[in-house]
Amino acid sequence: MILNNVTTITGNTPVNIQLKNGEMIPVNKGFYSDGIQLTFDNALVFPGLVNSHDHLDFNLFPQLGDKIYSNYTEWGKYIHENYKQEIAAVLKVPLALRVSWGIFKNLLCGVTTVVNHGEQLAIDNPPINVEQSHSIHSVQFEKRWKVKLNNPFKRRGPVVIHVGEGSDDSSNNEIDQLIRWNLLNKKLIGVHGVAMTEEQAKKFEALIWCPESNYFLLNKTAAADHLKKHTTILFGTDSTLTGNWNIWDHIRLARKTKMLTDTELYNSLHLGGSTSWQTTTNNEGTVVVVKKKDDETSLESFYATDPSDILLVVHNEHIRLFDASLLNQLNHINLNEFSQVYINGTCKYVQGDLPGLMKRIKEYYPEVVFPITVN
């Protein structure tokens, strides 16, 4: 595949890119290829995003909560007491349908690797990488977490766990408890870490930063500017229980904190697919092309992106999503494999029967509000 007239994150002028063996290789104008050639006008290209923390089966929920909580256990108890009907309505939808929507939610935003937290899910041929690591919910909510943490038969890959999700002393203490009980010295990837100190951060291979979720629950987020000195910062959205569906809004919120530089934040959205998980998938061979904003640098344009700006998503060197403006250049493509959807009035073609999925979900959950529309 050849992408003509695109600008890279580190470049200032358009170039031509060949996608070959999972790499983006610059080529000269007029380079011949018997594969797909697409020509863009004022476009930005970068590897697909890595969402390092999501709960794929929880993305039909609206945000639940109406006050500031001290920690995740207080929030969990509160929503189960005050939002019983809302929770029951979503859980009527079969698990497979909820998971499928969670995957599409990420694809529509240009995410090509998502890390699911929770029980192992049976997922056949997803349109993006779905990573499922050895995950433990948390010190407070996971039964027998000490045994699961020290399971000698699960030595490959890191242990991923919600930890320090709160602003009180108990949230900080549970991090010490986790560290103390990591008897086999397994690699730990913490999620949230709002109460984490720099000394505690040294015991973690990485921390997944989820600022929008944190601010919604706690009105506070992890001190990523300090913790980054001692551990790798990765980026996650969490589910729509605590954040909106659009990862780009999460990214812009993170940028406003100025805790990471623009380059560090960009890296947190890409490093996770290759440096921290390394179990079943990686993020190679993925490309996203978006509309480039006029008179902005490549990084500034990246941070101004929204799902409606996405022109192309390539995963495993196969087109998974493309903008209707490219249709006349894709004469060979089998449109029967794609469905038409609209994001803020902009037409996209998405691989798979997304309208059919939405229809099936509505049969169980008529009140659902999707962020996209279909004909």
Side-chain angles (χ1 to χ4, degrees):
M1 183 181 295
I2 304 293
L3 307 179
N4 295 311
N5 200 39
V6 292
T7 303
T8 65
I9 286 292
T10 56
N12 295 313
T13 56
V15 295
N16 303 318
I17 297 290
Q18 180 185 25
L19 306 183
K20 186 175 181 181
N21 299 325
E23 296 184 21
M24 291 191 289
I25 304 170
V27 295
N28 296 325
K29 185 177 181 180
F31 179 84
Y32 174 76
S33 171
D34 58 0
I36 299 171
Q37 289 216 31
L38 296 173
T39 299
F40 297 87
D41 180 23
N42 202 26
L44 180 69
V45 62
F46 48 86
L49 304 183
V50 178
N51 182 358
S52 288
H53 183 69
D54 201 345
H55 299 265
L56 291 176
D57 52 331
F58 286 172
N59 284 292
L60 290 173
F61 284 103
Q63 287 179 280
L64 296 183
D66 55 16
K67 64 176 186 176
I68 302 303
Y69 308 90
S70 297
N71 54 56
Y72 66 102
T73 59
E74 180 186 331
W75 169 77
K77 181 180 179 181
Y78 183 86
I79 65 169
H80 280 94
E81 290 176 349
N82 293 275
Y83 295 94
K84 292 179 181 179
Q85 291 183 345
E86 291 86 347
I87 293 171
V90 174
L91 295 182
K92 288 179 182 177
V93 181
L95 176 65
L97 298 183
R98 289 188 276 128
V99 170
S100 292
W101 169 251
I103 292 171
F104 275 112
K105 178 206 81 167
N106 281 277
L107 171 59
L108 291 166
C109 291
V111 171
T112 52
T113 292
V114 58
V115 183
N116 181 64
H117 197 98
E119 297 295 328
Q120 295 287 311
L121 302 172
I123 303 173
D124 295 326
N125 301 315
I128 60 175
N129 297 334
V130 177
E131 182 72 61
Q132 301 191 79
S133 295
H134 178 195
S135 62
I136 296 174
H137 186 276
S138 59
V139 168
Q140 300 297 328
F141 285 156
E142 184 82 43
K143 295 180 180 178
R144 302 174 69 241
W145 67 267
K146 296 174 185 176
V147 174
K148 294 177 181 179
L149 171 63
N150 293 291
N151 185 339
F153 299 105
K154 288 190 175 182
R155 289 187 173 273
R156 295 185 61 188
V159 175
V160 188
I161 183 170
H162 299 93
V163 69
E165 188 181 2
S167 57
D168 56 359
D169 290 341
S170 66
S171 300
N172 175 264
N173 292 338
E174 77 169 20
I175 304 176
D176 286 334
Q177 191 178 4
L178 174 67
I179 294 170
R180 186 167 61 251
W181 278 97
N182 186 19
L183 304 178
L184 299 181
N185 292 317
K186 291 188 176 181
K187 293 180 179 179
L188 298 175
I189 294 182
V191 183
H192 299 303
V194 177
M196 186 176 287
T197 66
E198 292 185 57
E199 192 63 31
Q200 290 168 332
K202 296 175 183 178
K203 303 295 184 179
F204 289 80
E205 181 181 352
L207 174 70
I208 303 170
W209 188 30
C210 305
E212 181 164 307
S213 176
N214 301 153
Y215 280 119
F216 177 71
L217 260 63
L218 312 166
N219 198 31
K220 184 179 181 180
T221 193
D225 49 344
H226 298 292
L227 303 181
K228 69 183 182 183
K229 303 171 188 176
H230 308 287
T231 191
T232 298
I233 304 295
L234 305 177
F235 197 87
T237 60
D238 222 330
S239 73
T240 55
L241 268 170
T242 55
N244 84 77
W245 79 285
N246 180 4
I247 192 175
W248 296 97
D249 286 340
H250 296 239
I251 295 167
R252 282 186 284 272
L253 176 61
R255 192 183 187 214
K256 285 181 181 178
T257 70
K258 297 184 179 181
M259 292 186 185
L260 302 183
T261 67
D262 279 356
T263 299
E264 289 170 339
L265 181 54
Y266 177 85
N267 288 340
S268 76
L269 287 152
H270 291 91
L271 287 176
S274 58
T275 63
S276 293
W277 306 116
Q278 293 182 341
T279 55
T280 59
T281 61
N282 59 54
N283 208 40
E284 294 178 356
T286 72
V287 168
V288 173
V289 182
V290 302
K291 295 177 183 177
K292 189 175 184 297
K293 311 301 183 190
D294 293 330
D295 303 321
E296 290 189 358
T297 66
S298 294
L299 265 180
E300 287 171 341
S301 186
F302 173 83
Y303 287 114
T305 296
D306 269 311
S308 58
D309 298 316
I310 295 175
L311 300 173
L312 182 72
V313 177
V314 177
H315 166 262
N316 284 345
E317 302 187 5
H318 292 282
I319 294 174
R320 307 300 190 189
L321 179 152
F322 65 92
D323 188 83
S325 63
L326 297 177
L327 189 58
N328 62 346
Q329 297 188 62
L330 291 169
N331 297 326
H332 69 289
I333 204 162
N334 183 2
L335 287 180
N336 292 328
E337 296 179 358
F338 290 79
S339 53
Q340 233 176 323
V341 302
Y342 294 83
I343 305 175
N344 291 334
T346 304
C347 181
K348 312 293 178 185
Y349 286 82
V350 184
Q351 190 176 48
D353 185 10
L354 186 48
L357 172 66
M358 294 164 65
K359 182 179 179 180
R360 292 193 297 275
I361 289 171
K362 286 184 177 181
E363 291 173 357
Y364 295 94
Y365 180 28
E367 305 89 353
V368 64
V369 178
F370 290 107
I372 61 174
T373 57
V374 298
N375 285 333

